């Protein structure tokens, strides 16, 4: 399956536009109840983005709490086994809590702190975003509620235990497919009922400004990997390959290579099918 970007797109930095659209995608299609909350979030995000002190605090936590930068590991035996292509692994699993999810969770909880929020709401599927959000909320002494599909609660009992160990309350969502989509719906519903809470959305989905915010806090992955591969190989990679579920890993891994004609970006779905972004078609 190929996903081709419109040929007229020359500068991806132009997105999103003022209404939160990425071409024909994006925007806000939510209840009026949430519009004011989303506009407030956008304002706070734009203010924080322009504040060097916010980024200083974020970077300090990434280094001293998360454990960044993560290594770019040369998988030498795998490289030799497949015939000489040099394969490097960006070790996001070595972050505190074991995944890339902590980057975005920490950034959004810092936004919540800036807004004076005391309560955090989040959704989770496999559980890594829930664990990361519960951990970030605990760091700043905030109440945390995680919505998780009932099927995922059963499959990911260990991550449920980790969330609860961090003081979070985990709600099993029993509607629909009882998985991530339904957890997102439940979390938005809970936010509509309590606008004093802050919703930490973990994937590159949802109404504006969430996809932009997730990108902003996850792009550290490719900022580091770009610098690291240049130090190790003296050139950019031929391919950057990332798993694609909710999109937060891929958007972070691809971010700083989008403008490079020589770098091909490949997203791999959970089922193993490649999604070739073909960004320069």
């Amino acid at each position: 399956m190929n996903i081709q970007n419109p040929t007229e797109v020359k500068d991806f930095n132009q997105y999103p536009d003022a209404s939160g659209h990425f071409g024909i995608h994006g925007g806000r299609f939510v209840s009026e109840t949430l519009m004011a909350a989303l506009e407030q979030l956008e304002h706070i995000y734009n203010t924080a983005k322009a504040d060097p002190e916010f980024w200083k605090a974020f970077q300090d936590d990434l280094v001293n709490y998360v454990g960044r930068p993560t290594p770019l590991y040369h998988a030498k035996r795998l490289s030799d086994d497949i015939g000489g292509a040099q394969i490097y692994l960006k070790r996001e699993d070595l972050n505190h809590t074991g995944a890339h999810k902590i980057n975005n969770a920490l950034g959004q909880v810092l936004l919540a702190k800036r807004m004076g929020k005391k309560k955090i709401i989040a959704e989770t599927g496999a559980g890594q975003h829930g664990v990361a959000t519960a951990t970030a909320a605990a760091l700043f002494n905030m109440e945390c509620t995680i919505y998780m599909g009932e099927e995922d609660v059963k499959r990911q009992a260990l991550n449920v235990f980790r969330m609860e160990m961090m003081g979070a309350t985990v709600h099993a969502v029993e509607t629909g497919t009882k998985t991530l989509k339904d957890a997102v719906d439940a979390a938005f519903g809970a936010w509509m009922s309590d606008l004093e809470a802050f919703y930490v959305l973990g994937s590159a989905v949802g109404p504006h400004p969430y996809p932009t915010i997730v990108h902003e806090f996850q792009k550290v992955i490719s900022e580091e990997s770009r610098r690291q591969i240049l130090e190790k190989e003296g050139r950019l990679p031929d391919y950057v390959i990332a798993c694609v579920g909710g999109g937060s890993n891929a958007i972070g891994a691809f971010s700083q290579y989008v403008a490079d004609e020589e770098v091909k970006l490949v997203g791999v779905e959970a089922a193993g099918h490649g999604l070739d972004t073909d960004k320069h078609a």
Side-chain angles (χ1 to χ4, degrees), residues 8-121:
E8 67 271 14
V9 174
K10 302 297 183 183
D11 179 12
F12 286 85
N13 291 320
Q14 68 185 278
Y15 296 110
D17 62 19
S19 62
H21 283 83
F22 297 79
I24 63 173
H25 304 289
R28 294 188 184 119
F29 299 92
V30 296
S31 166
E32 282 298 320
T33 307
L34 289 179
M35 288 299 284
L38 289 167
E39 288 169 356
Q40 181 190 32
L41 173 60
E42 182 182 12
H43 172 73
I44 291 296
Y45 164 69
N46 287 334
T47 302
K49 187 176 180 181
D51 183 0
E53 289 301 312
F54 176 83
W55 292 109
K56 182 177 182 297
F58 179 57
Q59 291 296 331
D60 184 71
D61 283 333
L62 287 181
V63 171
N64 296 303
Y65 188 71
V66 175
R68 303 203 71 93
T70 56
L72 187 68
Y73 174 71
H74 182 210
K76 185 177 186 304
R77 286 193 297 168
L78 181 59
S79 299
D80 293 343
D81 188 60
I82 67 168
Q86 300 308 301
I87 298 172
Y88 286 84
L89 306 176
K90 183 62 172 155
R91 295 295 305 276
E92 290 299 289
D93 57 304
L94 297 180
N95 284 325
H96 181 39
T97 72
H100 69 288
K101 291 291 188 179
I102 190 67
N103 305 323
N104 171 62
L106 184 61
Q108 288 199 41
V109 171
L110 282 172
L111 287 177
K113 180 183 176 184
R114 190 180 183 96
M115 296 172 74
K117 302 290 188 179
K118 302 295 183 184
K119 293 188 287 185
I120 298 296
I121 293 171

Side-chain angles (χ1 to χ4, degrees), residues 138-244:
L139 177 63
F140 293 103
N141 195 30
M142 294 182 183
E143 180 184 330
C144 183
T145 302
I146 308 292
Y147 290 85
M148 190 175 190
E150 185 179 45
E151 291 299 316
D152 291 328
V153 168
K154 295 175 184 176
R155 287 192 292 247
Q156 300 291 339
L158 179 58
N159 280 332
V160 172
F161 171 76
R162 295 171 72 196
M163 289 178 245
E164 292 176 339
M165 185 174 65
M166 287 294 177
T169 299
V170 179
H171 281 294
V173 179
E174 301 176 353
T175 57
T177 61
K178 304 178 185 179
T179 54
L180 179 59
K181 175 185 177 297
D182 310 291
V184 173
D185 291 344
F188 269 111
W191 192 26
M192 287 176 61
S193 300
D194 186 4
L195 295 177
E196 290 304 309
F198 186 102
Y199 180 18
V200 176
L201 185 53
S203 300
V205 299
H208 177 67
Y210 277 110
T212 300
I213 289 174
V214 172
H215 167 261
E216 193 67 32
F217 293 137
Q218 291 292 6
K219 71 180 182 182
V220 63
I221 301 171
S222 53
E223 288 175 338
E224 290 178 3
S225 70
R226 183 185 177 91
R227 181 174 66 250
Q228 290 166 326
I229 195 65
L230 287 172
E231 290 172 353
K232 291 175 181 292
E233 292 286 343
R235 61 182 289 256
L236 294 175
D238 297 311
Y239 292 86
V240 176
I241 301 171
C243 63
V244 180

